[in-house]
Amino acid sequence: FDLACERSRYKPSFLEQCNHGHHRDWDEQFTPSTATRICGGFLLADSRVQLKPHISLTRINDHIYFEHKFKGSEYPKSDQRVPTIAVPKQTKKHADIVTLGTDLGLAFGDHIHWDSELTAAKALGPSTKLFNMPTYLINSRLYYTDTTATGNGTFETGIDVHWKSAYTADAYDPVTQQFYLQDAFTVYSYPVIDLFLNFRIKNFSAFLKFSHC
């Protein structure tokens, strides 16, 4: 088993504190953000099965984020094509992010393997609304691997699946290249499936991938 405690302190970036332009203008004095994380897990394994449950609790203080300049009744009525304008903000309230998950590895004989990661996450606390994330996340890989008869090469081929539950992901401001909070649209839940082939011959290695098949 393993147990860890980490504490990080983030100095505000230059862009978060100061920006002067034709459509973006602010001058802020933010305090550093801090994050404290406690996590742990344990491993159960034999020759065919590996199972590693894990849990983590992260408390974030003085979070710096971006949000749209216009909110609610402030949104201009004269022109519906208002450009994306995101400005930095800082909250003095904390948020707690709880994550539960497990890593699972199965071996079917000597060549077929199935590796999966399942995670559930939830934000709690006064500033919960500042953290948009999917509640459930699954990464899974089913593949076949083997070694050439001469022993000088290996190959691995299979399928990758990524899935997450629906959530309101952050929007993007291309001018400042920053993500900002939004609640106007939802990123729907659907699987992303990739096919891949990795191979190595002596010192030469390469891979092929068919994304979003």
Side-chain angles (χ1 to χ4, degrees):
F1 69 92
D2 60 83
L3 180 66
C5 180
E6 305 168 352
R7 182 172 175 82
S8 305
R9 188 171 184 264
Y10 303 93
K11 183 179 179 179
S13 68
F14 180 81
L15 178 63
E16 290 171 341
Q17 297 195 93
C18 183
N19 186 66
H20 297 291
H22 186 64
H23 296 293
R24 311 288 190 276
D25 188 87
W26 62 76
D27 194 351
E28 304 286 352
Q29 295 295 324
F30 293 135
T31 59
S33 304
T34 61
T36 304
R37 179 172 180 258
I38 300 175
C39 59
F42 61 92
L43 176 65
L44 301 173
D46 60 22
S47 60
R48 298 299 181 187
V49 180
Q50 288 191 350
L51 179 66
K52 186 177 182 181
H54 52 82
I55 183 173
S56 70
L57 172 62
T58 305
R59 169 158 289 194
I60 301 175
N61 292 296
D62 302 321
H63 178 58
I64 299 173
Y65 61 98
F66 282 77
E67 72 175 9
H68 201 282
K69 183 176 181 180
F70 303 107
K71 295 183 63 180
S73 60
E74 300 176 359
Y75 201 87
K77 304 298 183 182
S78 58
D79 187 1
Q80 297 301 320
R81 296 175 299 171
V82 175
T84 299
I85 301 179
V87 295
K89 300 283 185 69
Q90 184 172 40
T91 179
K92 294 300 180 181
K93 300 177 180 179
H94 71 273
D96 295 320
I97 299 177
V98 182
T99 304
L100 299 172
T102 185
D103 298 333
L104 175 64
L106 301 176
F108 304 96
D110 297 329
H111 304 293
I112 301 177
H113 301 267
W114 182 26
D115 299 332
S116 296
E117 174 192 8
L118 299 87
T119 304
K122 187 173 181 62
L124 306 171
S127 60
T128 299
K129 294 182 179 180
L130 303 181
F131 297 88
N132 294 328
M133 66 187 73
T135 303
Y136 303 104
L137 172 68
I138 296 176
N139 289 313
S140 188
R141 167 179 284 204
L142 179 64
Y143 60 96
Y144 178 90
T145 183
D146 202 355
T147 304
T148 59
T150 57
N152 62 352
T154 60
F155 74 93
E156 181 181 291
T157 183
I159 183 171
D160 269 328
V161 179
H162 171 78
W163 176 89
K164 56 180 174 289
S165 56
Y167 72 113
T168 53
D170 292 345
Y172 185 68
D173 180 2
V175 175
T176 58
Q177 300 179 7
Q178 299 296 309
F179 290 92
Y180 67 94
L181 297 174
Q182 65 83 28
D183 57 7
F185 66 89
T186 299
V187 176
Y188 295 106
S189 174
Y190 61 92
V192 176
I193 302 175
D194 303 328
L195 300 178
F196 67 90
L197 170 64
N198 305 324
F199 60 91
R200 179 186 61 81
I201 301 176
K202 293 185 178 180
N203 295 326
F204 174 77
S205 61
F207 72 91
L208 298 173
K209 185 177 181 180
F210 181 19
S211 299
H212 282 262
C213 65

